[in-house]
């Protein structure tokens, strides 16, 4: 689902007034925004997965992702599912700005 959101967000942003106004900078800005937007809905699942990976083999290991989610929310409330998202969004912005800039360059070569 993350990649579906990623490409849809990029396409919508690039076709919007934002993309049109930015001209040749559109792939950079729209790519950065799309990369960030695509992380927001899937980040809580990433937190759960990472927590499960970090507790494998320990006595604290939860049997499934639902139990892990409940334990995490009891420990830190809903905010725990977005703990650490800021550095992830900064990295995603840079990564996806460059990715879509190169993607658009390659697509232009094929025309």
């Amino acid at each position: 689902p993350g990649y579906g959101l990623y490409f849809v967000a990029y396409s919508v942003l690039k076709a919007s007034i934002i993309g049109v106004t930015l001209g040749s900078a559109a792939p950079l800005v729209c790519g950065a925004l799309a990369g960030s937007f695509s992380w927001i809905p899937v980040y809580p699942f990433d937190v759960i997965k990472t927590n499960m990976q970090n507790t494998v083999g320990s006595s604290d290991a939860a049997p499934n992702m639902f139990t892990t989610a409940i334990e995490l929310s009891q420990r830190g409330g809903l905010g725990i599912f977005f703990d650490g998202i800021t550095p992830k969004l900064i990295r995603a912005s840079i990564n996806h700005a460059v990715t879509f800039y190169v993607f658009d360059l390659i697509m232009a070569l094929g025309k």
Side-chain angles (χ1 to χ4, degrees):
Y3 280 112
L5 296 171
Y6 177 59
F7 282 101
V8 168
Y10 177 73
S11 297
V12 168
L13 286 166
K14 195 166 174 213
S16 74
I17 190 72
I18 295 168
V20 173
T21 305
L22 292 171
S24 62
L28 292 170
V29 175
C30 296
L33 291 171
S36 296
F37 291 159
S38 68
W39 264 108
I40 293 169
V42 298
Y43 193 76
F45 297 102
D46 191 61
V47 170
I48 294 167
K49 173 206 54 107
T50 301
N51 188 272
M52 291 181 74
Q53 289 173 334
N54 289 337
T55 58
V56 168
S58 76
S59 60
D60 295 337
N64 58 54
M65 66 183 285
F66 298 109
T67 304
T68 302
I70 291 167
E71 290 173 0
L72 284 170
S73 67
Q74 288 171 344
R75 193 170 359 146
L78 291 178
I80 201 165
F81 295 106
F82 293 95
D83 192 31
I85 197 168
T86 301
K88 180 72 79 176
L89 293 178
I90 292 169
R91 184 190 67 82
S93 294
I94 296 165
N95 179 17
H96 301 298
V98 173
T99 298
F100 275 113
Y101 183 77
V102 171
F103 172 77
D104 275 11
L105 283 176
I106 291 170
M107 294 304 287
L109 291 174
K111 289 184 180 179

